[in-house]
Amino acid sequence: MIEKTDLYIDGAWVAAGDVPLAEVSDAATGETFATVPLADAALAGRAAEAAARAFPAWAALPPAERAAHITRLREALKARQEALVEMISRETGMPRKLTGMIQVGGPLAAWKFYAELAAETQAPKVIGNSRIYREPVGPVACITPWNYPLHQVTSKLAAALAAGATVVLKPSEVAPLSAFILAEAADEAGLPAGVFNLVTGTGPEMGEALVRHPAIAAVSFTGSTAAGKRVAALAAEGVKRVSLELGGKSAAVVLEGADLAAAVKATLGSCLLNSGQTCNAMTRLIVPEARLGEVTELLKAGLSKFTLGAPDDPATRLGPLASAEQKTRVLAMIARAEAESIPVIARGADPGDRPGFFVPPVVFGPVPEAAEIAREEVFGPVLSVLVHRGTEDALRIANDSAYGLAAAVWAADDATAADAARGIRAGQIDLNGAPFNLGAPFGGFGQSGIGRENGRYGLEEFQELKSVQYKEV
């Protein structure tokens, strides 16, 4: 049993005291394997004040020195790579091989990228008689989810540190252990006291205390749209800058002439990655009505290859969900879809009474546009197939959503796909199977959020603009 009793505040491990504990479950067995403190508002304030004290000196560091600190932190984190893979795989249920590549390898690459950005000297932009400077926003509260715990922390923390901001991090209590490993790495790397602080607790208590604290200048949140609305409302009380990366119901639009086999394979892979627990997963597959029969056969064959099993089994391609609560929620949405007599195209093998939070994947289709599973984020291994009657109809269906995080377009060629992409209201769109780009801005339209993460755009979320006017040009 892993028992965490201390939090990382102002450069030291501090006892959380006599507070309730959150139990961290092994997704594959359902058993508790760790506990972390559910700290209170007093510790939130202590961490926020530490970040505020550390801010002036950190913001004033020359770029090369900030970059050196970030590089040392990355090296200390990389030395803990195996421990990170083990903890994240147990917490989230993602197969270990994928965890190593995506959940750990991706963040390590991002830390390197932000160290390089931090080293750059930012010359002011000249506009007429003005010089425009970018300056760190101040102490930031970063509140992160459980589905990609280290990745989501990195996209905020590494960018904020590179920008010259200081941070208080509150990870999800469902998957908090990689954040503790990160704090150990920061301590070993000699990050100045107060620049990075780690606290754990619930959203309603710890999260809201951080958002409301007067020392916090900005809030970066990733999570559900409902929780994001609450964060935005609280931050508005203090007129604080807010960045929100929220839910999605991303559409993969397949046009006539597209490679159906490639489109189906990629969409299934996206939808089922991390057992569907991915905010930008392609969970709506919009296909030509006349090709539904072909698509159905491809989906049946493709789904059969997703072996459900334990994360540490090399044969596993689909692991469990992250929690009992998540399993209950996803199964309820599937049951409601079945009760509405929405056809099932394909379904994975029933896991039976095995322990853990396993849910077999299911593909529904054709799904009515008004159905819950076509409109709401399931966050589980569920794909909805909808049909269109031409490009205009396909784009209408894709845009008929409160969300706009991501999308994909499949067409006979990239030019046709790009033309269609311009008609989709989403923050990031892949054409004909293009890969994810860590340097490109990531974020959504509509109820998928406000602001952007990743790359230079993510760094700029943690900076303010200052305009200085000169009498003469």
Side-chain angles (χ1 to χ4, degrees):
M1 174 71 74
I2 300 169
E3 297 177 339
K4 299 295 184 182
T5 58
D6 298 347
L7 302 175
Y8 192 70
I9 299 174
D10 205 14
W13 290 100
V14 175
D18 186 17
V19 298
L21 300 176
E23 296 183 346
V24 182
S25 298
D26 186 313
T29 67
E31 296 176 352
T32 299
F33 77 99
T35 58
V36 298
L38 292 176
D40 56 18
L43 280 172
R46 188 169 170 181
E49 289 157 10
R53 286 193 300 272
F55 173 69
W58 181 253
L61 275 184
E65 290 187 33
R66 269 208 303 272
H69 276 295
I70 294 170
T71 297
R72 285 193 293 272
L73 196 161
R74 179 190 181 274
E75 290 170 350
L77 196 62
K78 187 176 181 181
R80 293 162 168 80
Q81 195 164 354
E82 286 305 312
L84 288 165
V85 171
E86 180 182 356
M87 291 300 104
I88 295 172
S89 183
R90 293 186 74 180
E91 290 173 325
T92 66
M94 180 180 275
R96 285 181 64 93
K97 182 178 179 180
L98 291 175
T99 300
M101 291 189 297
I102 298 170
Q103 298 264 22
V104 179
L108 287 174
W111 277 102
K112 183 175 185 295
F113 180 84
Y114 278 115
E116 293 168 354
L117 274 186
E120 295 180 4
T121 300
Q122 296 187 17
K125 184 176 181 180
V126 178
I127 301 177
N129 67 315
S130 301
R131 291 184 181 180
I132 315 302
Y133 296 85
R134 286 191 171 274
E135 296 189 354
V137 68
V140 178
C142 295
I143 303 173
T144 57
W146 46 262
N147 57 328
Y148 288 87
L150 183 61
H151 170 79
Q152 296 289 0
V153 167
T154 296
S155 64
K156 300 179 189 303
L157 176 61
L161 296 184
T166 54
V167 173
V168 181
L169 168 67
K170 190 206 88 66
S172 167
E173 62 274 21
V174 175
L177 298 177
S178 61
F180 281 86
I181 295 173
L182 175 61
E184 292 168 3
D187 191 56
E188 180 184 295
L191 202 64
V195 170
F196 166 65
N197 306 272
L198 168 67
V199 293
T200 53
T202 65
E205 182 158 6
M206 175 59 74
E208 293 194 9
L210 286 174
V211 174
R212 282 187 159 126
H213 198 281
I216 295 297
V219 181
S220 181
F221 172 84
T222 297
S224 72
T225 296
K229 290 176 181 178
R230 175 66 175 166
V231 167
L234 293 175
E237 294 176 2
V239 196
K240 299 178 182 184
R241 289 190 58 174
V242 179
S243 177
L244 304 173
E245 200 269 281
L246 308 176
K249 193 66 184 176
S250 301
V253 175
V254 182
L255 303 179
E256 283 291 354
D259 184 335
L260 283 183
V264 167
K265 180 180 180 181
T267 303
L268 267 179
S270 171
C271 179
L272 300 182
L273 180 64
N274 203 21
S275 298
Q277 300 170 129
T278 303
C279 57
N280 62 332
M282 299 298 145
T283 56
R284 290 186 294 157
L285 177 60
I286 304 171
V287 302
E289 186 175 36
R291 311 298 292 277
L292 180 60
E294 297 170 70
V295 169
T296 295
E297 293 308 311
L298 287 166
L299 285 166
K300 288 178 179 177
L303 194 68
S304 68
K305 298 175 183 177
F306 282 83
T307 305
L308 189 69
D312 59 359
D313 184 343
T316 295
R317 285 196 64 189
L318 191 69
L321 299 183
S323 67
E325 179 183 4
Q326 187 66 6
K327 177 180 177 179
T328 298
R329 178 182 175 279
V330 171
L331 287 176
M333 292 189 76
I334 292 171
R336 288 195 294 271
E338 292 173 330
E340 294 172 12
S341 300
I342 298 175
V344 173
I345 288 176
R347 192 192 303 270
D350 191 326
D353 60 356
R354 70 184 299 166
F357 311 129
F358 291 89
V359 172
V362 59
V363 178
F364 288 98
V367 177
E369 293 176 39
E372 179 189 39
I373 56 167
R375 307 193 70 81
E376 299 300 326
E377 188 174 42
V378 180
F379 229 56
V382 179
L383 176 65
S384 294
V385 180
L386 297 91
V387 296
H388 70 79
R389 298 176 179 84
T391 299
E392 185 176 339
D393 191 41
L395 300 184
R396 177 192 63 78
I397 296 169
N399 288 328
D400 185 20
S401 173
Y403 303 105
L405 185 56
V409 180
W410 295 83
D413 53 70
D414 284 353
T416 302
D419 188 56
R422 284 190 286 272
I424 296 177
R425 299 280 295 172
Q428 192 170 82
I429 304 175
D430 302 334
L431 307 183
N432 286 327
F436 186 78
N437 181 356
L438 272 174
F442 180 80
F445 290 21
Q447 294 196 26
S448 285
I450 300 169
R452 293 296 183 266
E453 293 188 331
N454 293 346
R456 189 177 300 276
Y457 299 90
L459 183 150
E460 290 174 355
E461 289 289 336
F462 298 101
Q463 293 177 325
E464 292 278 17
L465 290 172
K466 178 185 284 185
S467 175
V468 179
Q469 277 64 251
Y470 288 74
K471 290 175 65 176
E472 298 179 359
V473 178

